[in-house]
Amino acid sequence: MNTSPRDEGVVKYHAVHRNDPAPTHPLLNKLDQARTQLFDLGLVGVYLDGVGYGNVSVRHEAGCIISGTSTGATRILGATGYCYVSNFDIVANIVCTEGPIQASSEAMTHCAIYQANSAINCVLHIHNPQLWRKLLDRNGPSTSKEVTYGTPQMAQEVAVIVQGLANPCGLLAMAGHEDGIAAFGPTIDLALNQIQAVLT
Ligand SMILES: [Zn+2]
């Protein structure tokens, strides 16, 4: 049971999971290295109450390859820390996954971004209170205060933000998900650059 006031880490979609070997993907190693960089910056990790935060993905076929649930305490995940999201349905609130671990609770949000903008190939979800506040104060792209993480409403709002963007690179703040930010880009490096640019 999740007792955190942050409302983090609990899967809110209906998960249909099949246990399978670890995903293989040419970009998986690079994605995991990017995640380790984020981990070292404290942007992916685990809160003092033990609840993990932050997750990373790359587009794959109809869905993506995403870091698994409850992996925030691990610095280097390796392939067994990831799974395929083979299919998803925002309206029905279903996410279908295959792999050695179940998907992050924010898998639906990642998939909605890929579905809404075909030029986006990487999504990095991080937590940082200062950066989150800065993005909201700047009135940058953000989801509504009333919308909490991992819900179909979150998926719908992020889709509206990224669809039709001329530049498929950016950051969006999740106003209703404390400290939550999504970086996205056409490549892993470009998504990571979005974060590094605002930290310096
Ligand atoms: Zn989050």
Side-chain angles (χ1 to χ4, degrees), residues 8 54 106 125 127 177 180:
E8 177 79 13
E106 279 155 309
H125 172 58
H127 279 217
H177 177 41

Side-chain angles (χ1 to χ4, degrees), residues 1-197:
M1 194 183 114
N2 180 35
T3 53
S4 168
R6 252 176 246 106
D7 182 35
E8 177 79 13
V10 176
V11 172
K12 296 179 178 174
Y13 53 76
H14 178 61
V16 180
H17 182 74
R18 189 178 81 196
N19 275 315
D20 257 355
T24 56
H25 190 281
L27 291 175
L28 186 52
N29 196 36
K30 191 173 177 61
L31 180 67
D32 201 34
Q33 286 170 358
R35 183 190 170 281
T36 302
Q37 281 182 256
L38 298 171
F39 182 94
D40 288 344
L41 290 164
L43 301 171
V44 167
V46 63
Y47 286 113
L48 291 174
D49 58 11
V51 176
Y53 61 87
N55 35 73
V56 300
S57 73
V58 287
R59 177 192 292 276
H60 178 71
E61 296 179 351
C64 63
I65 291 178
I66 191 165
S67 50
T69 185
S70 303
T71 54
T74 306
R75 180 169 180 266
I76 299 173
L77 284 189
T80 54
Y82 292 82
C83 71
Y84 290 110
V85 178
S86 55
N87 214 339
F88 67 101
D89 184 329
I90 296 173
V91 176
N93 199 21
I94 295 173
V95 175
C96 303
T97 55
E98 299 161 11
I101 190 166
Q102 298 214 25
S104 150
S105 54
E106 279 155 309
M108 177 89 85
T109 310
H110 289 243
C111 289
I113 292 175
Y114 295 125
Q115 188 182 52
N117 189 321
S118 61
I120 296 173
N121 293 306
C122 177
V123 177
L124 307 172
H125 172 58
I126 59 167
H127 279 217
N128 181 274
Q130 292 81 19
L131 182 53
W132 181 71
R133 178 49 55 203
K134 187 155 107 180
L135 293 172
L136 291 175
D137 288 348
R138 275 185 192 171
N139 281 325
S142 80
T143 54
S144 322
K145 252 193 210 137
E146 301 73 38
V147 173
T148 58
Y149 89 91
T151 56
Q153 291 75 22
M154 176 68 83
Q156 280 154 1
E157 289 211 1
V158 295
V160 168
I161 290 171
V162 303
Q163 73 192 5
L165 279 180
N167 177 9
C169 241
L171 294 172
L172 66 89
M174 298 157 161
H177 177 41
E178 195 177 338
D179 308 343
I181 297 156
F184 49 88
T187 65
I188 295 168
D189 283 337
L190 286 168
L192 200 55
N193 285 352
Q194 297 300 307
I195 297 169
Q196 287 161 336

